[in-house]
């Protein structure tokens, strides 16, 4: 089960549409599992890594993947070449990830890049790495074409995620 936990208020229709896209991509159930508060003392821009480690009281079973979604800005990452905006973050091969819709004015209009970002972060939770196929949601998010693509995987990544899911279930 993929549990989408909102950290800000989102239209229920939009979270339902996102869950539907996750279900289509991964073939596992996905639902909006309520809203949580950002831990007290954390201010914007939010430290994605710290936030998803610190957030308490999220009901989930061991095999569940939890995707937090916020409209607030995430702290930029320090890369050797300078600062890079953070659109999402995942604890690789674990069970918690976050995405932000910050920078998109309208959820509906920006649905594809938001869903693509969600697919990528959850893909990382199932151990997927970035992919060189520009049509794939695992394509590196800092590429200019990332935001124009569909929220779906290439056949290699799709198969790899299905394999991981089968292992998790057995
Ligand atoms: Zn990534
Ligand atoms: Zn791929």
């Amino acid at each position: 089960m993929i549990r989408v936990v909102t950290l800000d208020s989102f239209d229920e229709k939009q979270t339902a549409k996102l869950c539907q896209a996750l279900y289509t991509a991964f073939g596992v159930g996905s639902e909006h599992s309520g809203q949580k508060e950002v831990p007290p003392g954390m201010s914007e821009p939010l430290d994605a890594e710290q936030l998803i480690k610190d957030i308490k009281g999220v009901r989930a079973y061991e095999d569940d993947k939890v995707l937090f979604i916020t409209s607030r800005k995430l702290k930029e990452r320090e890369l050797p070449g300078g600062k890079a905006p953070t659109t999402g973050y995942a604890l690789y091969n674990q069970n918690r990830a976050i995405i932000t819709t910050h920078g998109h004015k309208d959820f509906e209009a920006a649905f594809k890049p938001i869903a693509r970002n969600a697919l990528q972060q959850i893909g990382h939770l199932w151990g997927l790495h970035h992919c060189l196929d520009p049509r794939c949601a695992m394509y590196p998010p800092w590429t200019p074409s990332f935001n124009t693509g569909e929220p779906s995987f290439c056949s290699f990544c799709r198969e790899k995620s299905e394999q991981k899911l089968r292992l998790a279930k057995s």
Side-chain angles (χ1 to χ4, degrees):
M1 169 74 76
I2 300 165
R3 299 185 181 276
V4 174
V5 175
T6 44
L7 301 176
D8 298 290
S9 58
F10 288 94
D11 187 329
E12 197 55 45
K13 262 189 270 169
Q14 295 169 337
T15 48
K17 195 175 167 189
L18 183 64
C19 289
Q20 182 61 43
L22 296 176
Y23 173 72
T24 306
F26 293 102
V28 285
S30 173
E31 66 171 29
H32 181 206
S33 298
Q35 190 162 337
K36 286 283 164 209
E37 296 292 324
V38 166
M42 285 197 89
S43 57
E44 204 174 343
L46 300 167
D47 183 327
E49 187 178 356
Q50 201 194 337
L51 174 67
I52 58 177
K53 283 179 179 160
D54 286 358
I55 202 153
K56 299 275 190 294
V58 178
R59 284 181 44 215
Y61 295 102
E62 206 181 327
D63 287 339
D64 288 347
K65 302 295 185 193
V66 178
L67 177 73
F68 297 103
I69 173 165
T70 180
S71 55
R72 285 176 254 189
K73 189 178 161 98
L74 299 177
K75 209 166 141 189
E76 293 178 324
R77 288 169 306 162
E78 303 280 352
L79 296 177
K83 288 186 175 185
T86 306
T87 52
Y89 178 80
L91 295 170
Y92 185 78
N93 252 334
Q94 298 177 51
N95 54 11
R96 285 183 170 195
I98 185 169
I99 60 166
T100 178
T101 60
H102 186 83
H104 297 299
K105 278 196 197 81
D106 181 62
F107 194 106
E108 193 60 40
F111 182 74
K112 279 184 187 178
I114 291 168
R116 230 178 176 222
N117 185 12
L119 255 66
Q120 173 158 141
Q121 301 313 328
I122 296 170
H124 286 318
L125 297 183
W126 266 302
L128 297 188
H129 293 283
H130 287 157
C131 170
L132 293 176
D133 186 337
R135 292 162 303 178
C136 180
M138 296 312 291
Y139 197 61
W142 51 83
T143 52
S145 73
F146 183 83
N147 282 343
T148 60
E150 294 294 319
S152 58
F153 293 120
C154 71
S155 53
F156 175 82
C157 291
R158 168 94 197 185
E159 243 163 63
K160 205 176 161 199
S161 78
E162 282 172 353
Q163 241 172 35
K164 294 277 177 155
L165 277 157
R166 275 197 299 273
L167 283 175
K169 275 179 199 155
S170 60

